[in-house]
Amino acid sequence: MIETLAPSTARATPFERRSIGSRYFGLLCVLDAGVLFGAAFLSQWLRFGDEKHVFALGGGLVNYTVFSIVLSAVWILLILAITIGSSRRHAHEPLQPFADVMTATLFLVAGYAVFATATQTEVSRGYLFIAVPAGTLGLLITRYIALRRPQKAVPTMLIGTEDELRGIHERLDRGNEPVRVREEIVLHADRVSAQGETILADDTVLSEGDLRKRVMAANVDAVVIATRSVHEGDTFLETINWSLYGSPVEVIVMPQLGRVPLSRLSVVPYGDSVTGVIRATRYQGAPFLIKRLVDILLSGLALVVLSPVLLVVSIMVRVTSSGPVIFRQERVGRHGKTFTILKFRTMISNAEEMLEELAASNESDGPLFKMRDDPRVTSIGGFLRKWSLDELPQLINVLRGDMSLVGPRPALPTEVEQYDVAAKRRLLAVPGITGPWQISGRSDLTWQQGLSIDLFYIDNWSLALDCRIIALTFVVVLARKGAY
């Protein structure tokens, strides 16, 4: 009698059930609708009271009640589309639900700006300044509450050689998905005998029946297999799949692809097998043009919206220390072209002259200069750095085209002189106000760590990745981690 696992009616695999976009998807849809409609109508009531107001749209008039309904509905659709799109790719990343909210909000604001310009719409700024922040805050709170639910570890079996299992453990330790390894099947380094049989580390053969029994006895929800353990001509995957037929156990093949994102990877048939195609990153064409248009639109809008903040910070810098309000410095941009970067001054006026005498206190292991308690930083400068307010004048650099909203950190010419061949790849991209370093530790990163994540961004750039980084930047800035 052949042993099989009992059929299951479960529709989602164990890892998919842990995603905020699966089990709680319906509940979040209801909560999102309540939050967004509530924010829109609350904004309308706070701005206009009980009076009925209209605004000009093209050549006609539109009631604010109708606009509130349409605004909320469009926002909900954006949230749904982005959440569904990211649930598979980033289901195990704890900050992804928050990034989805911020990405949807950015698309909403950008879309409205284009629509308002094209149709000459004149919606009250006061209404928008209440509705958008209130709706965003409400969406973030609902996801924070949903993510606080107890996290149950997924019981898992690992299959691979000793070296491969060590690598799987390292990758699981770096990730955020709670996994409880119940059993490991250690394969021989050669993996397969001359007869095509799977060999274990102790030189015994792993038969189909033995594998089925071990999976059943371990009572696991997932089986993780190292890619190299799946070799041509072997029926290993078929054996596992048939032994798990009808069960909710998830079979995961862990690829040895480094940090290549799914946006660049396609699975295609190749002969009688399946292979992966990695698309090259291109800094040209329509996506790059769209990136530039988004930079112009959002930086211009941000300069207008944040003008009161810029004024207040300018006054604070002026009255708390002597010297210019704006600090200007030469930086290296795309293809090695230099430009003048603009920042609110956070150091004393002779900070550059003191750099040489402070060189011995450098805490960086590379060409960067880092000092946690830098004596050159002014009292207000520490506050501006902690909240990243000193970077706001760089919106002008973005508008000019010297920088982008997202990109690698703009380097000093003295730093670029010390670049090796790999580091020079940073110059392929337009430097950004925020970037992968901003959401990955900022000043807490070593030079090599910062270089690694910058090169990952450059190798895997996409518009979707830019949106995700912008969204996560708000979360990281509010946490004030790594800023000094």
Side-chain angles (χ1 to χ4, degrees):
M1 178 178 174
I2 300 176
E3 298 178 66
T4 58
L5 292 179
S8 171
T9 57
R11 295 187 178 182
T13 60
F15 280 85
E16 291 174 325
R17 288 199 298 271
R18 299 187 49 75
S19 170
I20 191 174
S22 54
R23 180 179 175 185
Y24 292 89
F25 189 78
L27 176 60
L28 280 177
C29 288
V30 175
L31 291 176
D32 288 350
V35 164
L36 295 180
F37 280 109
F41 286 110
L42 174 65
S43 173
Q44 183 179 336
W45 181 77
L46 291 175
R47 177 64 181 83
F48 306 114
D50 296 329
E51 299 179 12
K52 293 184 179 180
H53 277 260
V54 296
F55 63 90
L57 175 59
L61 298 175
V62 176
N63 189 287
Y64 270 95
T65 300
V66 175
F67 181 75
S68 294
I69 294 173
V70 172
L71 178 70
S72 301
V74 171
W75 205 345
I76 291 170
L77 291 175
L78 285 172
I79 287 286
L80 286 174
I82 292 170
T83 299
I84 292 171
S86 67
S87 61
R88 278 279 187 178
R89 293 170 294 168
H90 307 292
H92 314 315
E93 299 185 22
L95 294 180
Q96 186 57 39
F98 303 102
D100 291 342
V101 169
M102 301 307 299
T103 302
T105 302
L106 288 172
F107 274 113
L108 180 77
V109 172
Y112 167 76
V114 173
F115 175 78
T117 302
T119 60
Q120 298 181 347
T121 303
E122 299 178 1
V123 175
S124 167
R125 290 185 180 179
Y127 167 86
L128 293 175
F129 285 171
I130 298 174
V132 174
T136 303
L137 180 62
L139 292 172
L140 293 175
I141 290 174
T142 59
R143 277 145 184 79
Y144 174 76
I145 294 173
L147 286 172
R148 284 178 62 85
R149 70 189 191 276
Q151 299 290 310
K152 182 180 178 181
V154 178
T156 304
M157 172 184 283
L158 306 183
I159 301 177
T161 65
E162 187 175 349
D163 289 341
E164 290 166 347
L165 292 179
R166 189 181 303 113
I168 292 177
H169 276 291
E170 291 175 355
R171 295 174 71 174
L172 291 175
D173 290 342
R174 290 197 302 267
N176 300 293
E177 185 67 39
V179 171
R180 183 171 70 254
V181 178
R182 283 191 174 173
E183 186 172 352
E184 296 180 354
I185 295 181
V186 185
L187 302 180
H188 192 279
D190 293 333
R191 297 178 188 82
V192 64
S193 67
Q195 291 75 32
E197 299 170 315
T198 301
I199 311 174
L200 298 179
D202 59 3
D203 293 326
T204 59
V205 174
L206 180 66
S207 68
E208 180 178 345
D210 291 338
L211 174 61
R212 182 163 48 241
K213 289 178 181 178
R214 292 185 66 168
V215 173
M216 293 173 65
N219 192 27
V220 295
D221 286 346
V223 175
V224 177
I225 310 169
T227 303
R228 291 182 60 200
S229 297
V230 183
H231 46 272
E232 186 176 358
D234 188 23
T235 59
F236 196 52
L237 275 182
E238 288 87 344
T239 299
I240 293 178
N241 280 326
W242 279 112
S243 64
L244 302 180
Y245 177 75
S247 80
V249 178
E250 185 173 25
V251 178
I252 303 170
V253 179
M254 188 168 282
Q256 306 296 317
L257 294 174
R259 300 173 65 192
V260 177
L262 289 179
S263 59
R264 288 181 58 206
L265 181 64
S266 300
V267 178
V268 298
Y270 189 80
D272 60 350
S273 62
V274 177
T275 187
V277 176
I278 301 175
R279 292 184 295 275
T281 302
R282 300 179 184 273
Y283 281 91
Q284 58 186 1
F288 194 70
L289 177 60
I290 294 173
K291 176 180 173 71
R292 179 60 191 142
L293 292 175
V294 171
D295 282 341
I296 294 173
L297 177 65
L298 293 185
S299 62
L301 182 63
L303 284 170
V304 174
V305 173
L306 297 175
S307 54
V309 177
L310 294 169
L311 178 60
V312 171
V313 174
S314 298
I315 295 173
M316 293 170 66
V317 174
R318 171 66 72 183
V319 301
T320 55
S321 63
S322 60
V325 171
I326 298 297
F327 173 71
R328 292 173 170 82
Q329 189 178 53
E330 186 180 46
R331 295 292 179 101
V332 180
R334 192 184 185 202
H335 299 321
K337 181 181 178 182
T338 58
F339 67 96
T340 301
I341 196 172
L342 306 176
K343 301 177 68 175
F344 280 122
R345 182 174 54 82
T346 59
M347 293 186 173
I348 57 179
S349 56
N350 63 333
E352 294 293 307
E353 289 77 8
M354 295 177 61
L355 184 59
E356 187 173 344
E357 61 185 81
L358 293 173
S361 302
N362 186 12
E363 299 174 10
S364 173
D365 59 346
L368 296 175
F369 179 84
K370 294 181 184 178
M371 190 173 176
R372 190 175 295 272
D373 297 314
D374 196 325
R376 301 173 299 166
V377 178
T378 63
S379 56
I380 191 63
F383 171 80
L384 297 180
R385 288 186 171 199
K386 187 164 291 187
W387 292 98
S388 298
L389 296 174
D390 58 318
E391 313 282 356
L392 291 180
Q394 292 171 33
L395 291 168
I396 298 175
N397 288 116
V398 175
L399 206 56
R400 290 174 177 172
D402 301 325
M403 296 177 63
S404 175
L405 290 174
V406 183
R409 187 192 63 83
L412 292 164
T414 53
E415 296 171 5
V416 175
E417 290 173 2
Q418 303 177 56
Y419 279 4
D420 56 17
V421 175
K424 286 181 178 178
R425 281 164 48 204
R426 294 182 79 255
L427 304 180
L428 292 175
V430 180
I433 295 180
T434 186
W437 89 95
Q438 184 91 357
I439 63 173
S440 304
R442 304 169 80 178
S443 296
D444 288 339
L445 297 174
T446 65
W447 158 252
Q448 203 58 44
Q449 289 172 332
L451 176 62
S452 175
I453 61 175
D454 275 346
L455 294 183
F456 171 80
Y457 170 81
I458 291 168
D459 292 340
N460 301 288
W461 171 79
S462 68
L463 291 172
L465 180 58
D466 274 4
C467 291
R468 184 165 174 266
I469 289 174
I470 291 175
L472 289 175
T473 297
F474 290 98
V475 179
V476 172
V477 169
L478 290 175
R480 296 178 291 173
K481 184 180 179 181
Y484 56 86

